[in-house]
Amino acid sequence: MEFIKYEIQKGDTLKSIAEKYDLDANEMKIFHNENCGITGIILNDDLPLHLKYILINKI
């Protein structure tokens, strides 16, 4: 499995990151949560303030 470790920029949202990679935001969140570890989990549609990276499935 290959993935992209995307560095979250100021103003990024889950939806805006998903749009950059032509992905569904919910599917991207599920992939990230399955592969990130407990402290990096995204619980809703907002990116946690402490999160610096999001893992994206490389298609």
Side-chain angles (χ1 to χ4, degrees):
M1 169 180 37
E2 290 188 55
F3 62 89
I4 297 166
K5 186 177 178 182
Y6 175 82
E7 184 175 1
I8 297 170
Q9 306 295 313
K10 184 176 180 176
D12 276 342
T13 63
L14 197 59
K15 184 179 177 181
S16 71
I17 296 169
E19 287 173 352
K20 286 179 186 179
Y21 291 93
D22 196 28
L23 299 169
D24 176 78
N26 193 52
E27 289 177 11
M28 188 177 71
K29 179 174 68 172
I30 291 169
F31 177 83
H32 172 81
N33 286 346
E34 289 175 347
N35 296 284
C36 72
I38 193 127
T39 60
I41 290 179
I42 301 169
L43 298 175
N44 52 39
D45 292 336
D46 298 321
L47 294 170
L49 294 175
H50 71 279
L51 199 62
K52 295 183 181 195
Y53 298 95
I54 187 167
L55 302 178
I56 302 170
N57 189 12
K58 188 174 182 181
I59 299 175

